[in-house]
Amino acid sequence: TLEKLVGEILKEEPGMVGLSAMTIQIGGVLELTAELKKRKPSLKIIVGGHHVNATRAELLQFTENIDFLFYGEGEKEVYNLVKALESGTTLADIRGLIYKKEGRVIVNDPPLTIENLDELPFPDLDLLDIKKYDIYYAKSLPLTSILASRGCPYQCIYCSASLVHGKRFRLRSPANVVGEMLEDYQKYRIKQFVIKDSTFTADKQWVYDVCSEIQKRRLKIYWSCNTRADLLDEALLKAMKQSGCCFISFGIESGSQKILNALKKGMTTDHIRKAVALCKKVGIQTIGNFMIGNPTETEEDAKQTIAFIKALNLDLAFTFLTIAYPGTEIYHWAQHHQALSDRHWYMKEKKQAFAGGWEINGSLELEGFPKEKAIAMVKKANKSFYFRPSFILKRISNIRGVWDLKRNFTSLVKLLRKG
């Protein structure tokens, strides 16, 4: 709850609170910062993350409770900000900083890109109760996440990934990535790693080297990643499987080639079929992510997507309503085509963030394919996938004890609640 969160934060007696927020979390950020400032007016609050990178200084129009915004890669410059505040020196040289001075909004120069990612320290998991973290496809607990690269060079019009880290692909060294895994294994007995990179296999030789490093250090672990269907081949998948890869998540989005083209995915439905089949062949499970309500989409396109989801026979599939997030090409398309009723949709109903759920706004108003119909098709896609007899039997046969039974029951209840 908001009350508990504020209590936990103020119990630390902080001089500054830093929050990283995606667009869908901004309502919660405004609610939280208002309460923090009310309780401790001297507290300095800084907000960064995807939303600030997309909207820059805009948030300062909606609140007086945030002292600083930050855009770009913040590891070095946020540290510099803390030192500047402690010493009373100028803020003009803090790159990436957005703030008000004498009522005027100041946007400093962007931060320099961090070229050598290996120089960043590993996350300190001593600061977390790692046993409380879980994920729906966990094979072993405790688990943690890892970011092994930054940047995504692809052009998908719905995605904001490049807003923070840019389009240029930068890699940590294989030894550094696996060094973090080894430290987490030795200190916390973590055996499963969720690699959060947008496109893990964009550099195939680097992936081979990561896999080789895992085996060289004799790490017996599970790991999962995200990637594109057109960036895999059988030899690479075999190397990934041998080093512990158990799940690959694909951003598939649609079963309609027309919609894939509109989204600038740069791939075909054949790429997707082949990649999923190869994963099954080598024994790696697959997750597919899909969207309904895309630019130019019709009900017939959505039906193609639902049929495609079932034909692929993925291990897990998630279908969502397409949302026009600020900073993305889809957001600009929606405004140009009058498909977005409110360009500031993400600032609405902000008081609901801590009240048991968020009503997602920001979906597209498409001619001939109303939002209500798109929502109904999303629900149909999820139900028609998960309530197939073949899927249910497979899930039952894979249950390995009370832990798995509880996980599957909880997921079933959530699915039923969503209608």
Side-chain angles (χ1 to χ4, degrees), residues 84-352:
L85 292 174
E86 287 178 346
S87 63
T89 56
T90 179
L91 302 181
D93 297 328
I94 310 296
R95 303 178 74 99
L97 189 66
I98 303 172
Y99 61 104
K100 282 186 176 180
K101 183 178 181 181
E102 298 173 356
R104 187 167 63 94
V105 174
I106 308 294
V107 180
N108 288 354
D109 292 338
L112 300 175
T113 299
I114 300 173
E115 296 296 336
N116 179 16
L117 298 178
D118 285 8
E119 70 186 32
L120 297 173
F122 300 155
D124 183 1
L125 300 187
D126 282 332
L127 297 171
L128 307 175
D129 185 351
I130 198 66
K131 292 180 181 178
K132 289 186 176 180
Y133 289 78
D134 197 356
I135 200 166
Y136 49 84
Y137 53 85
K139 287 184 173 291
S140 175
L141 293 177
L143 56 74
T144 192
S145 60
I146 279 187
L147 195 66
S149 67
R150 291 186 176 181
C152 183
Y154 295 94
Q155 310 298 319
C156 308
I157 69 172
Y158 52 85
C159 184
S160 64
S162 64
L163 293 177
V164 180
H165 297 305
K167 290 190 173 294
R168 187 162 58 83
F169 198 49
R170 289 166 287 142
L171 301 162
R172 292 168 58 186
S173 69
N176 184 261
V177 174
V178 181
E180 182 180 340
M181 291 177 169
L182 182 62
E183 178 178 294
D184 291 345
Y185 177 82
Q186 291 175 337
K187 288 182 69 174
Y188 313 103
R189 309 312 296 170
I190 291 173
K191 296 181 180 178
Q192 181 158 349
F193 297 89
V194 182
I195 300 175
K196 301 295 288 184
D197 306 45
S198 298
T199 317
F200 182 70
T201 62
D203 184 323
K204 290 184 179 181
Q205 184 56 56
W206 176 79
V207 178
Y208 277 118
D209 293 342
V210 169
C211 295
S212 176
E213 190 74 24
I214 290 172
Q215 293 181 292
K216 186 172 76 175
R217 302 203 194 194
R218 297 182 179 178
L219 263 176
K220 301 298 182 183
I221 59 172
Y222 299 110
W223 57 274
S224 61
C225 66
N226 312 303
T227 196
R228 290 168 55 93
D230 58 343
L231 295 176
L232 293 171
D233 57 56
E234 186 171 347
L236 183 65
L237 285 168
K238 285 180 177 178
M240 293 166 68
K241 171 69 175 178
Q242 288 168 3
S243 66
C245 182
C246 58
F247 254 113
I248 295 178
S249 180
F250 295 102
I252 298 174
E253 320 317 346
S254 179
S256 162
Q257 189 62 54
K258 182 194 87 175
I259 298 303
L260 290 178
N261 295 343
L263 295 175
K264 297 185 180 178
K265 286 294 293 184
M267 71 173 69
T268 67
T269 53
D270 285 340
H271 284 131
I272 298 161
R273 291 189 188 93
K274 182 179 178 182
V276 173
L278 284 175
C279 287
K280 289 189 175 299
K281 183 177 179 180
V282 304
I284 295 175
Q285 292 184 289
T286 53
I287 302 172
N289 297 284
F290 300 84
M291 306 191 306
I292 287 175
N294 300 290
T296 74
E297 187 158 14
T298 65
E299 186 176 343
E300 185 56 40
D301 294 316
K303 288 178 180 177
Q304 285 184 42
T305 294
I306 294 172
F308 192 55
I309 294 169
K310 289 187 282 189
L312 287 173
N313 197 25
L314 297 149
D315 292 285
L316 293 169
F318 303 103
T319 305
F320 306 93
L321 191 64
T322 300
I323 304 297
Y325 289 108
T328 64
E329 190 175 335
I330 248 185
Y331 183 77
H332 300 302
W333 181 94
Q335 290 186 77
H336 181 72
H337 290 85
Q338 289 80 51
L340 197 60
S341 56
D342 184 353
R343 67 183 297 266
H344 288 132
W345 61 265
Y346 41 85
M347 303 309 301
K348 306 305 177 189
E349 302 188 41
K350 52 183 176 290
K351 286 292 183 184
Q352 294 188 11

Side-chain angles (χ1 to χ4, degrees), residues 36-75:
L36 286 171
K37 282 287 193 178
K38 178 182 175 183
R39 304 272 194 95
K40 188 176 181 180
S42 64
L43 189 66
K44 297 297 183 184
I45 297 177
I46 179 170
V47 177
H50 277 256
H51 185 77
V52 175
N53 279 272
T55 60
R56 298 296 167 94
E58 181 188 272
L59 199 54
L60 297 181
Q61 300 173 21
F62 293 89
T63 179
E64 296 293 327
N65 297 311
I66 295 172
D67 299 282
F68 307 105
L69 300 175
F70 194 90
Y71 68 101
E73 295 183 336
E75 286 89 350

